[in-house]
Amino acid sequence: MNKRIIDILKLEAPAEIEVSGWIRSFRGNRFIALNDGSCMSSLQIVIDSNSFSKNILDELNNGASINVKGALVDSLGSGQKVELQGEEIKILGVSNQEDLQKTILQPKKHSLEKLREQGHLRMRTNLFGAVFRIRHHMAFAIHKYFNDKGYFYIHTPVITGTDAEGAGETFRVTTLPIGKENIDLKKDFFGKPTHLTVSGQLEAELAALALGKVYTFGPTFRAENSNTTRHLAEFWMIEPETAFADINQNINLGEDFLKYLINYGLEHCQEDLHFLSDRGVKEESQLPKDKRNELSLMERMQMVISNDFERITYTKAVEILLKSKPHKKKQFKYPVSWGVDLQSEHEKFLVEKHFKKPVVIVDYPKEIKAFYMRENSDGKTVAAMDILFPGIGEIVGGSQREERHDVLEKKCEEFNIPKEAIWWYLETRKFGTVPHAGFGLGFERLMMFVTGMTNIRDVIPFPRTPNNAEF
Ligand code: ATP
Ligand code: MN
């Protein structure tokens, strides 16, 4: 039976081993570096070339897949405790060396853009192996966190007919023929217009008002037309919703959750994080001094865990921004005044220059936030909260929800939201309504923070962005 390299490297020699993987290199007709994706490390396999036919030796090329049986022995060189003496080798799949030259499997430095173009192969690189192993551990940690806290995982629909989320541009879902004028939407599959979900929140609220504590973790779709390094058209979002909780308990949950995940990463992804941390430092050494991070990836993670997040009101944030100059002489590109939505340059300034730690902004003007957020007693602001992270900007957006039926109805009118469309949402406020709150964490934004990757396209296996839906 095959053993995975991550387990083999923990074994004591001697042991009889069978292992399968892909060749990373074959040196001096003697040393094979074999990687099976289970961890960053490759296993060193030593062979005696006299014991193998020319047919086999000829196929021991970079990229080929092989199965090896042999004895695990203590290693003297190689930097690893053990190495495998290859006694039997089966070639599983050969690697065409001429074609390989054109691919990113060729061992040299490739740009991240080029790696993206070869998305079918990029998971075989050290870099993306690390990123996607960490992605798994983070997803697992998210379920573990909520399960341990008594939250129930709830599946909200991917196709929705609600037009009320107001979270962004939607992708329409239809079976009607393309290109026909005057189509009758009543004849469409669902008998009404539908689209891919932009958030599972409204449905999660229904669940929270029955099960108490719930969370969603699913795909989310927004036809974001801006080609930024922080937006995808298809991304994954985690949305906990807690009944009998207010905005402060919601922020406490958000802070505790993020710290838990980062800590989990530091504990369970050490080898991959060391690789990414060193890589980040190396990449940055090429940048001008003022563009470099003062801290390495793992130091940034440690910094977030060991500091309380700064909590300030939107009004206070605006005051700080009005008094500050982001650069020696220059002002912000987007001028600040009470009532405007904060731009990423403002968020960056607060987190990276002013407080130098994660910042939670609460109590936003009601006009710039969604209709379902709970109105504060000042009549001007709502109990909204955004958590801002260094290098990322907004990582979490959430709020206490408006639980008062009359206020919510009034808000629907102010926001031009047809009550017929969300009658079911309004109705939950008529039968045992309770204070409740929740937030959305963008999974890929979290992934950016825990891998140090600066483009969101590099933390999801197959990114969807404007003009790009390959693979
Ligand atoms: P932003 O201002 O960054 O566009 P938003 O205000 O549209 O974010 P929300 O609607 O509050 O975001 O969504 C909750 C979370 O989902 C955000 O805090 C962010 O982490 C993530 N998110 C939002 N849009 C995207 C996107 N297009 N791609 C990846 N993650 C996203
Ligand atoms: Mn947005």
Side-chain angles (χ1 to χ4, degrees), residues 167-168 222 224 231 394 445:
R222 297 186 185 176
E224 310 265 16
H231 290 91
E394 180 185 333
R445 300 259 173 106

Side-chain angles (χ1 to χ4, degrees), residues 210-239:
L211 304 176
K213 293 164 148 197
V214 300
Y215 71 104
T216 73
F217 185 177
T220 310
F221 308 85
R222 297 186 185 176
E224 310 265 16
N225 257 328
S226 52
N227 238 315
T228 79
T229 53
R230 303 180 306 126
H231 290 91
L232 291 163
E234 178 179 303
F235 63 100
W236 288 67
M237 187 144 68
I238 301 100
E239 296 179 278

Side-chain angles (χ1 to χ4, degrees), residues 170-220:
T170 58
F171 290 100
R172 289 284 312 282
V173 175
T174 179
T175 52
L176 291 172
I178 294 164
K180 280 228 177 114
E181 299 280 317
N182 304 324
I183 41 175
D184 181 2
L185 285 171
K186 289 212 179 65
K187 296 219 176 84
D188 203 350
F189 190 91
F190 296 104
K192 65 173 189 174
T194 48
H195 56 261
L196 295 178
T197 183
V198 294
S199 155
Q201 181 205 313
L202 300 190
E203 290 89 349
E205 280 187 54
L206 310 186
L209 292 173
L211 304 176
K213 293 164 148 197
V214 300
Y215 71 104
T216 73
F217 185 177
T220 310

Side-chain angles (χ1 to χ4, degrees), residues 355-372:
F355 290 111
K356 296 191 195 297
K357 57 178 173 170
V359 177
V360 189
I361 302 185
V362 290
D363 298 339
Y364 282 80
K366 62 177 182 182
E367 288 79 13
I368 59 172
K369 287 290 181 184
F371 78 98
Y372 51 71

